[in-house]
Amino acid sequence: NAGVMQNPRHLVRRRGQEARLRCSPMKGHSHVYWYRQLPEEGLKFMVYLQKENIIDESGMPKERFSAEFPKEGPSILRIQQVVRGDSAAYFCASSPELAGTFTDTQYFGPGTRLTVL
Amino acid sequence: AQKVTQAQTEISVVEKEDVTLDCVYETRDTTYYLFWYKQPPSGELVFLIRRNSFDEQNEISGRYSWNFQKSTSSFNFTITASQVVDSAVYFCALSSNTGNQFYFGTGTSLTVIP
């Protein structure tokens, strides 16, 4: 049973370019979460998605960042016009279908390390 | 507000010593969940344990044990007879039924010296 897949593992972009980070959840998981980890810090929540729906984007910067989880294919975190401050590790997590208000464990992918030159 | 504090930034121990990683949390929710994750040098996050707020039993898994105390809002993690492979950053996290996100502490970097 494959875990959460993220690609690329490392991504280098120049200022002003676009970065696209991909996440395929674990088999059977329909909930995807994106987190950002700045150097020497813990993970900070960005967005929570289900198939074709953004459920909670309270942690997403208001500009340049967007996320989607289409009916088919991986979830995408897109950062437009990247700046040096976007350099971080971006982690995707997935969890199974929630039963009522039950909060399930989130399983994390290996992360994408974005470096903006 | 939800918050997790891991006051120990870095810890170094000699192999075979026991070590305890502290985690203190804040929440107003009556139902919540606590987690520990391990981040080895390779960078991925490995799930270690999940605990819900109604279950205060301590748990032991091999050399790992967890002490959950609601009275002090703590969920501490002890590694017995530490090994070099235990060297990693360990994160404590909190989630509640009223939200979808996990709140992570800043992590404790553990170095086990051979």
Side-chain angles (χ1 to χ4, degrees):
Chain A
N1 189 13
V4 178
M5 310 282 283
Q6 287 188 251
N7 67 81
R9 294 291 305 274
H10 300 273
L11 182 61
V12 179
R13 285 287 178 267
R14 296 191 179 280
R15 280 181 298 170
Q17 291 184 320
E18 178 180 286
R20 281 185 176 239
L21 289 61
R22 294 176 187 77
C23 169
S24 296
M26 285 180 72
K27 188 176 181 180
H29 288 193
S30 56
H31 300 255
V32 166
Y33 313 79
W34 285 93
Y35 291 80
R36 177 165 61 177
Q37 183 182 27
L38 294 170
E40 310 300 325
E41 293 187 15
L43 281 72
K44 295 287 194 295
F45 169 79
M46 299 180 75
V47 63
Y48 161 46
L49 310 104
Q50 296 177 23
K51 284 286 186 182
E52 300 184 281
N53 286 306
I54 296 175
I55 307 301
D56 180 355
E57 56 181 350
S58 59
M60 286 277 271
K62 294 288 185 283
E63 297 176 349
R64 301 187 298 107
F65 286 72
S66 62
E68 63 177 12
F69 188 16
K71 187 176 180 181
E72 301 290 338
S75 175
I76 307 287
L77 179 67
R78 182 181 177 208
I79 311 172
Q80 295 177 291
Q81 298 176 321
V82 296
V83 300
R84 288 218 174 104
D86 296 333
S87 295
Y90 292 83
F91 287 91
C92 169
S94 72
S95 67
E97 185 73 33
L98 298 179
T101 58
F102 180 74
T103 297
D104 212 326
T105 300
Q106 293 181 15
Y107 295 91
F108 285 79
T112 294
R113 274 131 189 97
L114 172 65
T115 301
V116 180
L117 301 176
Chain B
Q2 323 276 4
K3 185 179 178 182
V4 174
T5 301
Q6 294 180 256
Q8 305 151 306
T9 305
E10 296 181 358
I11 300 177
S12 291
V13 297
V14 177
E15 200 171 20
K16 297 185 183 176
E17 287 184 346
D18 299 347
V19 58
T20 295
L21 309 182
D22 298 333
C23 173
V24 174
Y25 62 92
E26 295 175 30
T27 180
R28 294 180 181 170
D29 295 318
T30 54
T31 301
Y32 53 89
Y33 304 84
L34 296 161
F35 303 81
W36 276 94
Y37 288 85
K38 174 183 179 180
Q39 187 176 41
S42 50
E44 72 274 24
L45 275 168
V46 179
F47 166 73
L48 295 177
I49 191 170
R50 162 203 172 93
R51 202 32 127 218
N52 73 54
S53 52
F54 297 113
D55 182 1
E56 287 194 69
Q57 283 190 357
N58 292 330
E59 180 154 341
I60 298 174
S61 176
R63 296 184 298 106
Y64 295 172
S65 62
W66 291 269
N67 183 2
F68 176 30
Q69 293 197 345
K70 287 180 78 170
S71 60
T72 56
S73 296
S74 65
F75 186 43
N76 297 338
F77 172 30
T78 297
I79 302 174
T80 303
S82 59
Q83 299 177 2
V84 173
V85 293
D86 296 328
S87 295
V89 179
Y90 291 85
F91 290 98
C92 180
L94 166 71
S95 178
S96 73
N97 270 357
T98 59
N100 307 301
Q101 59 179 282
F102 281 20
Y103 296 86
F104 281 83
T106 51
T108 297
S109 178
L110 173 65
T111 301
V112 180
I113 303 165

